[in-house]
Amino acid sequence: MNVLGIETSCDETAVSIVRDGRFVLSNIVSSSIKFHKKYGGVIPEIASRLHLETIGYVLDESLKESKVNLEDIDLVAVTSQPGLKGSLLVGGCFAKAIAFALNIPLLKVDHLHAHIYAAFLVFGAIKEVPKPERLFPFIGLVVSGGHTSLFYVKDFTKIEPLGSTLDDACGEAFDKVAKILNLGYPGGPLIEKLAKRGNSQKVRFGTIRTQRPLDFSFSGIKTAVLYMIENKFKIKGRKALSFNEKRDIAASFQEAVIESLIEKAFLACRKKGAHILVIGGGVAANNRLREKFSQKANLENLTLYTSALEFCTDNAAMVGGLGYMLFKRGRIKNLVNN
Ligand code: KG4
Ligand code: ZN
């Protein structure tokens, strides 16, 4: 079965063809990030207009790469939530038009659930991927620019939310701290690069305790970074940080965020008696995070599945893949007329 996946929830216009829910035949992502960079964040109106301009070309490219004809598509899956309203609308209408024209079913997919599903996609050199249905139940952790959420995944139709961020998402915290350090946008990869040779023990940034232990809070740590720098300036009468200071702050901040994610994710596993943890979302592309989670999983005797790098940030393969799974499980309530 050939599934056409469509993703437009933020600044990426993405179209993918996925066979039988696992085999990614094409994965085209066009990002409008360069148009948002100067604002230091995604501007919804610009994003939705650019989706509209780009999506037809992205579809053509995706079909070309997959060598599948449009008429050979059996199902359309599109991200329906959460995301920027205007951007979701473009993808949703485009998906509806294709499904209607081809007279094939259309399924709506939750973006966060799709980020978890991304760990099970087979693509290029990535072959050693288990089928998710053999792993249920497991804990899913989504770490992205807009969300930080823990789920108990009994099946892809039975996903129970366990906790989420009360303020900033962890990717958002990376972006804001990068802004404070004058690094640019998006901040995650820039902080990671800078942190590589930094001393993560130089500053102890802590995250705030949340009332519910499986919730997250990252706004305090961002403010702590800001105050620490302001104090440094006040005391030393300087106006800029040295390169070494910047990289120590980046490394210390990154370490504190990862520590908080590890603490909550493994607590969720213990609470639910789960032996498998699956991580997805843009921040899961962070190599230090991958390394530390993997060390902890070994220590705790847990199995860890992390999305391949190309499927961490927003893409449509994860949407097509999950769409297939839901369709096979009889999700017909979400079809084109509903
Ligand atoms: O999942 P995603 O592409 O979009 C959302 O659904 O939000 O995630 C984007 C987020 C951004 O905040 C970006 O800074 C962060 O993921 N990110 C990273 C890395 N690569 C992307 N954060 C930390 N380290 C990275 N290597
Ligand atoms: Zn995302």
Side-chain angles (χ1 to χ4, degrees):
M1 188 173 196
N2 293 325
V3 184
L4 180 74
I6 297 175
E7 157 63 46
T8 61
S9 67
C10 193
D11 58 306
E12 284 92 359
T13 314
V15 178
S16 173
I17 319 289
V18 183
R19 185 159 291 160
D20 298 336
R22 285 175 41 88
F23 304 100
V24 181
L25 306 184
S26 64
N27 179 37
I28 306 295
V29 182
S30 165
S31 169
S32 62
I33 199 84
K34 66 171 188 266
F35 298 97
H36 306 284
K37 265 194 168 128
K38 65 175 165 189
Y39 306 105
V42 175
I43 307 296
E45 185 62 23
I46 296 178
S48 53
R49 281 172 193 274
L50 288 167
H51 284 309
L52 203 56
E53 279 179 25
T54 320
I55 196 160
Y57 298 108
V58 178
L59 170 68
D60 288 347
E61 191 65 26
S62 200
L63 288 168
K64 205 161 105 190
E65 187 176 300
S66 68
K67 300 189 174 65
V68 170
N69 294 321
L70 189 59
E71 306 78 63
D72 297 326
I73 298 289
D74 305 296
L75 169 74
V76 183
V78 63
T79 300
S80 64
Q81 58 151 22
L84 304 171
K85 288 281 174 288
S87 294
L88 289 169
L89 195 65
V90 176
C93 291
F94 192 75
K96 229 177 207 185
I98 293 175
F100 185 73
L102 297 177
N103 197 21
I104 55 174
L106 167 69
L107 263 175
K108 295 178 188 172
V109 168
D110 182 288
H111 182 81
L112 302 186
H113 299 173
H115 267 309
I116 299 173
Y117 189 82
F120 305 110
L121 294 168
V122 179
F123 186 54
I126 312 157
K127 308 253 184 271
E128 306 276 306
V129 189
K131 290 186 173 176
E133 50 269 49
R134 295 203 183 136
L135 308 177
F136 298 133
F138 57 78
I139 297 293
L141 170 67
V142 179
V143 282
S144 74
H147 298 86
T148 308
S149 305
L150 275 166
F151 298 98
Y152 185 48
V153 185
K154 290 184 224 157
D155 194 317
F156 279 106
T157 50
K158 292 187 201 112
I159 299 184
E160 182 191 320
L162 297 176
S164 65
T165 184
L166 302 175
D167 37 60
D168 291 350
C170 64
E172 191 179 354
F174 268 91
D175 294 336
K176 287 179 175 170
V177 168
K179 201 169 178 178
I180 295 170
L181 294 176
N182 259 325
L183 300 179
Y185 179 83
L190 300 168
I191 297 245
E192 178 178 5
K193 196 166 163 226
L194 188 66
K196 232 177 213 153
R197 293 186 191 284
N199 175 1
S200 62
Q201 304 305 311
K202 190 81 185 189
V203 195
R204 283 305 295 171
F205 291 120
T207 44
I208 292 166
R209 293 243 146 256
T210 52
Q211 206 167 21
R212 294 186 340 144
L214 297 182
D215 282 336
F216 301 86
S217 171
F218 294 108
S219 75
I221 188 169
K222 162 207 70 192
T223 315
V225 172
L226 184 68
Y227 285 173
M228 200 210 76
I229 296 172
E230 280 179 356
N231 272 339
K232 236 184 214 318
F233 289 169
K234 239 188 253 166
I235 296 164
K236 298 193 177 163
R238 287 196 285 135
K239 286 204 165 54
L241 293 170
S242 71
F243 179 64
N244 279 348
E245 283 173 323
K246 271 193 180 184
R247 62 187 193 185
D248 288 346
I249 292 172
S252 304
F253 159 78
Q254 178 176 267
E255 212 67 8
V257 171
I258 295 171
E259 268 168 25
S260 168
L261 293 172
I262 286 183
E263 181 199 324
K264 311 271 172 158
F266 285 87
L267 176 63
C269 292
R270 279 198 296 281
K271 273 183 180 274
K272 288 291 183 182
H275 300 287
I276 293 170
L277 172 63
V278 179
I279 315 179
V283 185
N286 184 291
N287 285 301
R288 182 70 182 149
L289 178 148
R290 296 168 88 91
E291 182 187 69
K292 290 215 63 168
F293 265 89
S294 159
Q295 284 167 358
K296 179 75 174 169
N298 281 339
L299 220 70
E300 302 265 330
N301 236 344
L302 274 169
T303 309
L304 177 74
Y305 294 101
T306 318
S307 303
L309 285 180
E310 53 264 75
F311 301 129
C312 286
T313 44
D314 288 351
N315 65 86
M318 63 186 194
V319 178
L322 180 54
Y324 172 88
M325 283 289 271
L326 296 176
F327 185 74
K328 284 286 164 191
R329 281 162 168 65
R331 260 289 163 92
I332 43 168
K333 260 204 323 237
N334 279 339
L335 296 181
V336 77
N337 295 322
N338 291 292

